[in-house]
Amino acid sequence: MSSLTPSRAVSIVRELHLVADNAAVELAPAPRLDEGCSVIVCTRERPAMFRRFLLSLATQLPRPQQLVVVDASRDDATEAVLCDCVAASPVAGLVDYFRVDASGAGVTRQRNFALTQVRHDLVASFDDDIVLLPRCLAELEKAHRANPDVVGVAACIDNEPVTLTLQWRLRRMLLVVPSLAPGRYFDSGVSTPWGRIPPGPELIPGDWLPGGAVMWKTEAARTVGYAESFDGYACGNDLEFSLRMRRLGTQVLSASARLLHLQDGGGRPDSRRLAFEALRNRIYIQRVSGDRRLSRRLWFAYGMAVETALQAVHIIRPGRARQTLQYLRGVADCLVEELTRSRAWWNGGVA
């Protein structure tokens, strides 16, 4: 594994920053892949979380051979954090830092760009609010090397709830989901969460993997690519990507690879926009992930109606009325847009 002195790391970071600022970074042909592990992280104006992630990455043994950072920040705070952390203790064998403007911002665009810069056959993709626990990377890579048919291995999020909420039990009772098995996707448009899996050697198969806590086979991830039509907050992009990835191989969660997801409200849209994007993207996923049987479409419509009703009941909770009304307006906005698109299609226009 190559090593990198702190001074050289900082010079590489600054050099690549200048290239990106001058808009000279092109999507060059993907380099040849060596055996090893690269890490990509896409970030935007969350320097404190990014620093926390880098500090956890520095504790991983063995360390990854490459760290690719794609930064959509409008200021230099994230770059400064990277320079400080690398200068204090090299966090990877080689750091590749890229700054993108508004046209390249967005988690799906940033991830696609990062994939073109990866130089190893395995690539771990992490959100900037992740904290890696000891041997997380090693366990993810171990699962890949021992199982050639696996295309993706996710880590278990240690601070996820152990038991499912009452809402999930209601979804099961109302037949929105036929099972509460973790990591499943159903034609109702609803996917079950992974939750907190007890530590152990098991590899648990699923239909989808959390995109901010997963290691993919690089060639497969490049072949599939992230759907850049998932703009904004990109609700559901991990699910959509996983549903296409599973055509190329098995996807599993490693119960021995552990991390924390310390989410923060920063960067999220308001409830109206979030509801609009979530429903719009669910409709898109339902359209492209299976056939158009009437029974399947009816189950999806039923599932979305139940989802909306489960959210609507929050209107009676103290302090939640305004947020719930915003959510319902977002759902209504999406339905109006879908009806308009359908009408245009029937009239011979572009759907």
Side-chain angles (χ1 to χ4, degrees):
M1 184 183 305
S2 61
S3 61
L4 183 66
T5 62
S7 60
R8 177 61 181 148
V10 176
S11 68
I12 287 177
V13 169
R14 295 194 185 284
E15 178 183 348
L16 290 177
H17 171 69
L18 290 174
V19 171
D21 270 358
N22 289 321
V25 174
E26 300 292 341
L27 293 181
R32 182 180 64 85
L33 297 176
D34 298 321
E35 183 174 309
C37 171
S38 296
V39 169
I40 64 175
V41 58
C42 301
T43 187
R44 180 178 182 179
E45 295 173 7
R46 302 205 292 189
M49 293 183 194
F50 181 59
R51 180 187 295 276
R52 188 176 59 196
F53 167 77
L54 290 177
L55 294 175
S56 73
L57 182 62
T59 68
Q60 297 296 300
L61 293 174
R63 288 178 177 143
Q65 286 91 340
Q66 181 190 18
L67 171 63
V68 180
V69 180
V70 183
D71 178 17
S73 302
R74 292 167 294 183
D75 56 35
D76 297 332
T78 301
E79 183 198 359
V81 165
L82 181 60
C83 290
D84 290 344
C85 289
V86 173
S89 174
V91 294
L94 184 65
V95 178
D96 292 323
Y97 171 87
F98 299 93
R99 194 77 167 265
V100 296
D101 59 18
S103 65
V107 64
T108 53
R109 293 186 184 91
Q110 288 173 249
R111 284 178 180 170
N112 279 336
F113 177 79
L115 285 173
T116 68
Q117 307 304 312
V118 169
R119 292 189 291 276
H120 300 92
D121 64 334
L122 296 178
V123 55
S125 174
F126 296 115
D127 288 342
D128 57 5
D129 55 4
I130 289 293
V131 173
L132 304 175
L133 297 181
R135 288 196 54 78
C136 179
L137 274 179
E139 292 296 335
L140 293 175
E141 183 169 1
K142 176 183 173 182
H144 269 287
R145 302 299 181 199
N147 300 277
D149 61 317
V150 166
V151 293
V153 183
C156 181
I157 300 175
D158 233 20
N159 58 328
E160 285 283 289
V162 177
T163 57
L164 294 178
T165 63
L166 173 61
Q167 280 198 347
W168 278 106
R169 293 195 291 273
L170 284 173
R171 290 181 178 100
R172 176 69 179 87
M173 291 172 56
L174 294 170
L175 302 181
V176 173
V177 294
S179 165
L180 292 177
R184 298 292 308 282
Y185 174 76
F186 302 102
D187 286 341
S188 60
V190 177
S191 54
T192 53
W194 278 100
R196 185 182 184 277
I197 307 296
E202 296 83 10
L203 296 178
I204 304 167
D207 297 328
W208 72 277
L209 299 178
V214 64
M215 181 181 287
W216 301 108
K217 280 188 168 56
T218 304
E219 285 287 4
R222 284 178 177 167
T223 298
V224 171
Y226 291 90
E228 296 187 0
S229 57
F230 279 52
D231 58 358
Y233 189 56
C235 301
N237 78 88
D238 296 340
L239 172 63
E240 191 274 340
F241 183 77
S242 293
L243 292 178
R244 288 185 290 123
M245 282 289 285
R246 68 178 178 174
R247 302 169 188 168
L248 303 181
T250 306
Q251 300 175 110
V252 298
L253 180 137
S254 170
S256 56
R258 320 291 292 188
L259 49 74
L260 303 176
H261 189 195
L262 304 179
Q263 299 184 63
D264 184 270
R268 288 178 170 81
D270 60 30
S271 296
R272 180 178 180 180
R273 186 66 192 176
L274 192 62
F276 176 89
E277 291 184 7
L279 181 55
R280 178 196 61 189
N281 292 349
R282 277 174 160 170
I283 292 171
Y284 172 81
I285 292 170
Q286 198 267 350
R287 281 176 175 161
V288 302
S289 63
D291 59 62
R292 300 288 289 164
R293 287 173 300 163
L294 179 60
S295 59
R296 184 173 183 268
R297 286 184 282 173
L298 290 175
W299 190 15
F300 177 79
Y302 171 71
M304 294 302 96
V306 172
E307 287 295 295
T308 302
L310 290 175
Q311 295 299 321
V313 298
H314 290 301
I315 201 168
I316 63 175
R317 292 180 58 185
R320 291 288 299 274
R322 183 172 180 274
Q323 183 179 355
T324 303
L325 286 172
Q326 284 185 332
Y327 176 91
L328 294 175
R329 288 185 67 185
V331 170
D333 290 345
C334 182
L335 292 176
V336 168
E337 180 180 279
E338 288 300 314
L339 288 172
T340 302
R341 182 181 291 114
S342 298
R343 186 178 298 113
W345 183 81
W346 282 109
N347 290 334
V350 178

